[in-house]
């Protein structure tokens, strides 16, 4: 059996390892992160060129199924995979890690709304963890930002007052407490990525009574079979392979 695994997440790497070597897994990474953590098995890096490009790739490589285990905010590739698989009749599964309960967070629907919330609440020292593409919305803010990202944002997308911290999880609770205290952070802005690797920042913020602004996830494509654990994804792949 051969599957295309749309990856780039810890869940995708775990799934590839669980299936190898019984299943031929082709893991696809977007290529936006330098020196990415690579899964076992074959890896392709780069985009497909929209729905049409993915549809052509699937036709040329004759895969038995597609598993989308991309980041919860990778809305474009998730929508493209759903459309291409539906057109071709290729079995398709979405592995979506559970979202974090928002608790007392200020929930917003976009980076722009998050920037508006920072201004409205008068936050002055913000830990910003929305990724390298999420900084542009804060460009005109008067606040100071500690911007934590895997790769540096473009210079023209940065707010006037900031410090960049290049870092990659997983993170530990004690380290997050120290980070928030050292930089006198008074607000955390994050996306609802879910998962355990970056959850400690929320626990540390709660312990220090630091408000959280949380960007909600984009809606998933309708009528796509979705599971929330690697175990369930493994079971689906093995069942699909026997059908």
């Amino acid at each position: 059996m051969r599957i295309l695994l749309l990856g780039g997440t810890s869940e995708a790497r775990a799934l590839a390892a669980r299936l190898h070597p019984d299943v031929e897994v082709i893991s696809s990474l977007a290529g936006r992160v330098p020196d990415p953590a690579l899964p076992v098995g074959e890896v392709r890096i780069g985009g497909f060129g929209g729905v049409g490009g993915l549809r052509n790739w699937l036709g040329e490589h004759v895969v038995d199924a597609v598993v989308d285990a991309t980041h919860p905010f990778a809305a474009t590739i998730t929508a493209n995979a759903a459309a291409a698989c539906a057109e071709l009749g290729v079995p398709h599964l979405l592995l979506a890690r559970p979202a974090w309960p928002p608790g007392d967070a200020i929930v917003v629907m976009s980076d722009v709304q998050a920037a508006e919330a920072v201004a409205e609440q008068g936050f002055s020292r913000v830990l910003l963890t929305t990724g390298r593409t999420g900084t542009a919305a804060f460009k005109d803010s008067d606040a100071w930002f500690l911007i934590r990202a895997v790769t540096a944002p473009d210079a023209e997308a940065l707010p006037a007052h900031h410090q960049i911290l290049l870092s990659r999880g997983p993170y530990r609770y004690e380290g997050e407490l120290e980070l928030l205290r050292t930089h006198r952070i008074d607000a955390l802005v994050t996306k609802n990525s879910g998962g355990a690797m970056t959850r400690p920042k929320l626990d540390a913020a709660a312990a220090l009574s630091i408000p959280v602004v949380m960007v909600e996830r984009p809606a998933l494509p309708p009528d796509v079979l979705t599971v929330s654990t690697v175990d369930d994804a493994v079971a689906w792949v093995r069942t699909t392979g026997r059908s």
Side-chain angles (χ1 to χ4, degrees):
M1 183 183 185
R2 172 192 280 180
I3 71 166
L4 172 66
L5 175 55
L6 303 174
T9 61
S10 59
E11 291 85 0
R13 292 190 294 274
L15 179 57
R18 290 277 299 276
L19 295 174
H20 181 81
D22 301 326
V23 176
E24 182 183 353
V25 178
I26 304 173
S27 293
S28 178
L29 309 182
R32 296 174 182 169
V33 176
D35 190 27
L38 296 178
V40 298
E42 182 179 345
V43 177
R44 70 170 301 277
I45 295 179
F48 291 95
V51 176
L54 179 54
R55 184 179 59 242
N56 292 340
W57 190 95
L58 291 172
E60 292 170 2
H61 291 80
V62 194
V63 301
D64 298 292
V66 174
V67 178
D68 178 357
T70 56
H71 191 276
F73 283 80
T76 299
I77 185 59
T78 292
N80 290 348
C85 289
E87 291 178 19
L88 295 174
V90 174
H92 173 220
L93 180 74
L94 178 62
L95 171 54
R97 71 174 74 130
W100 293 317
D104 296 328
I106 301 170
V107 178
V108 296
M109 302 307 296
S110 67
D111 293 327
V112 171
Q113 289 185 5
E116 292 172 350
V118 168
E120 290 168 359
Q121 298 294 322
F123 298 135
S124 61
R125 296 185 66 82
V126 179
L127 173 59
L128 181 60
T129 63
T130 55
R132 67 181 302 273
T133 62
T135 61
F138 301 86
K139 184 177 180 180
D140 297 325
S141 175
D142 294 327
W144 179 88
F145 295 89
L146 178 61
I147 300 171
R148 185 165 71 186
V150 176
T151 57
D154 295 334
E156 60 271 17
L158 292 170
H161 313 291
H162 71 272
Q163 177 181 333
I164 296 176
L165 175 60
L166 298 183
S167 178
R168 178 182 293 169
Y171 299 102
R172 297 176 60 86
Y173 173 73
E174 294 79 7
E176 298 295 68
L177 276 176
E178 181 180 358
L179 183 75
L180 295 173
R181 287 170 172 157
T182 299
H183 293 278
R184 308 189 311 280
I185 298 299
D186 65 5
L188 165 64
V189 178
T190 186
K191 291 181 176 179
N192 194 340
S193 301
M197 289 182 63
T198 58
R199 167 81 205 193
K201 63 187 173 186
L202 296 177
D203 298 331
L208 298 175
S209 299
I210 293 174
V212 176
V213 179
M214 186 178 291
V215 181
E216 188 56 278
R217 296 179 176 191
L220 296 176
D223 303 321
V224 173
L225 181 62
T226 303
V227 297
S228 60
T229 69
V230 172
D231 285 345
D232 287 342
V234 169
W236 180 84
V237 169
R238 298 199 184 283
T239 300
T240 300
R242 291 196 299 266
S243 62

